[in-house]
Amino acid sequence: MNVACFDTACFPGQQTQIVKEASDRRDSHPIEGGTIPGSGGHAAYSLSGPEPSAIPILIAVPHAGRMYPPNVVENMRFPGPASLKLEDRLVDRVATAVAKACGASLLLAHAPRAMIDLNRSPDEMDWTMVRTGAPAGMSLLRSGRRVRSGLGLVPRRLSGVGEVWKRPMEQAELDARIDGIHRPYHAALEQQLQRLRQRWGTVLLLDMHSMPPLSPRVLGEAAPRFVLGDRFGASCDGSLCTAAFDELSLQRQNVAHNRPYAGGYVLDRHAAPEKGIHALQVEICRSTYLDSRLAEPGPRLEETVEIMSALVRRLATEVAGLARGGDWPLAAE
């Protein structure tokens, strides 16, 4: 079956006494899971990283998917423009390079956001999109802001594009996407966070996204190139967000906090700072690593990878300070 793919082609100081360099560890074979309905068996996600883990950070990219089953493409009004706007276009290229450079675990979604948004709760659904309407006991149209804007569990409309779909979907089709894509992805995310926390004592989920260029917050100032989201302080220890701001400032990058992106369902579901599971969303401006059309890799891709790699290393050091009052467990070696 043909599947459309809209694509081209350690620590300094005392940490080196406890944590091996990522290059000394064995990269595990990627673990694939879930299934994209209608794709002929393509996995919904892949999980990779060195074994044993080199740092207590998991990089996740929920909007990286570009595997479009034929029936999905056929039902899209404007497949090219819609997919380009919905995807966090090629940010998985950045994430993959950063994870390799730093020894971080990496969870990549392969199912496209057009099919189902992994950063939305299963009940954030515009049920007018389903031919039979809402299931018994559920309201026809949830009143949430994201659903009303057209960006619920299954995106309905986009600014500059309009309605995404030609016709309503069947309930069985939605159920298959939840069972094959959404549920397995979040199960894998939860399990890997638990494994890393058990090994290191604490863990950080870095939920990586990309954004279209923003307007300057103040006339005459440069627009933010990065936005850090911590659910207004609820998803991670404040020291981690402070360190992220400091590191990006050292890299001479303009950074915003929680506006316009504070994080979504991924952080709400998985972050539990009181249990040692921290989560931070990072939005990267697409102009920093894509070409002028924001469609293909650009000349500054490598620079963006270096900036993000420095950020991950800094955050890994900060997470070390949170683990057991700053002492890394020797048993992790």
Side-chain angles (χ1 to χ4, degrees):
M1 177 179 293
N2 294 323
V3 179
C5 183
F6 298 109
D7 186 14
T8 60
C10 291
F11 303 130
Q14 65 177 3
Q15 303 303 334
T16 57
Q17 300 174 13
I18 303 171
V19 183
K20 291 182 179 179
E21 294 290 338
S23 59
D24 292 335
R25 298 177 184 268
R26 176 178 57 83
D27 284 340
S28 65
H29 295 291
I31 299 171
E32 296 186 335
T35 304
I36 302 175
S39 69
H42 281 276
Y45 71 83
S46 60
L47 175 65
S48 60
E51 289 293 343
S53 59
I55 58 175
I57 290 183
L58 169 60
I59 300 173
V61 192
H63 295 159
R66 296 187 294 278
M67 303 301 292
Y68 293 80
N71 64 322
V72 171
V73 177
E74 193 277 330
N75 195 29
M76 297 178 76
R77 292 179 182 272
F78 306 102
S83 63
L84 194 61
K85 288 181 73 71
L86 281 169
E87 294 171 6
D88 283 349
R89 182 66 175 174
L90 300 182
V91 76
D92 53 302
R93 301 281 186 90
V94 178
T96 299
V98 171
K100 183 177 181 180
C102 299
S105 298
L106 177 65
L107 178 63
L108 292 179
H110 301 308
R113 184 184 181 188
M115 291 187 71
I116 193 165
D117 192 335
L118 294 168
N119 203 23
R120 298 290 183 267
S121 167
D123 65 358
E124 288 186 278
M125 181 66 192
D126 181 347
W127 292 104
T128 64
M129 297 176 64
V130 179
R131 188 179 62 81
T132 53
M138 298 192 69
S139 62
L140 183 64
L141 180 61
R142 183 180 166 90
S143 60
R145 175 183 58 83
R146 290 180 293 208
V147 175
R148 293 197 305 271
S149 72
L151 294 176
L153 181 65
V154 178
R156 176 174 181 169
R157 59 181 175 273
L158 294 166
S159 61
V161 175
E163 292 290 323
V164 175
W165 308 104
K166 297 176 182 177
R167 55 185 176 272
M169 64 192 306
E170 300 293 332
Q171 179 67 51
E173 185 178 1
L174 176 61
D175 292 342
R177 296 181 187 184
I178 292 174
D179 292 340
I181 302 170
H182 196 280
R183 188 171 290 118
Y185 177 88
H186 283 282
L189 179 51
E190 180 178 0
Q191 291 167 8
Q192 184 63 9
L193 287 173
Q194 293 291 347
R195 281 194 290 266
L196 290 171
R197 185 186 63 168
Q198 289 171 7
R199 174 172 169 76
W200 299 106
T202 190
V203 62
L204 172 65
L205 164 62
L206 199 64
D207 199 42
M208 191 179 294
H209 298 256
S210 71
M211 61 185 181
L214 299 176
S215 300
R217 292 170 292 181
V218 178
L219 188 64
E221 288 188 358
R225 291 182 174 179
F226 295 84
V227 178
L228 301 176
D230 63 358
R231 301 303 284 162
F232 301 98
S235 68
C236 71
D237 188 273
S239 64
L240 298 179
C241 202
T242 298
F245 266 95
D246 183 61
E247 183 59 42
L248 290 173
S249 295
L250 289 174
Q251 299 288 331
R252 298 183 179 181
Q253 302 301 309
N254 296 313
V255 190
H257 187 207
N258 285 324
R259 299 189 186 280
Y261 307 107
Y265 175 70
V266 169
L267 268 59
D268 288 342
R269 173 168 174 171
H270 295 285
E274 71 284 356
K275 298 180 180 179
I277 301 176
H278 304 268
L280 184 66
Q281 178 176 287
V282 178
E283 294 272 0
I284 307 171
C285 182
R286 290 169 197 155
S287 67
T288 65
Y289 67 93
L290 295 178
D291 61 12
S292 59
R293 298 183 301 113
L294 304 182
E296 305 299 339
R300 296 174 58 198
L301 174 62
E302 185 175 345
E303 177 187 342
T304 302
V305 169
E306 292 175 354
I307 291 170
M308 288 300 300
S309 295
L311 175 62
V312 168
R313 294 188 182 101
R314 174 69 177 275
L315 288 172
T317 302
E318 295 297 325
V319 175
L322 294 176
R324 299 188 181 180
D327 294 328
W328 286 68
L330 294 176
E333 193 70 316

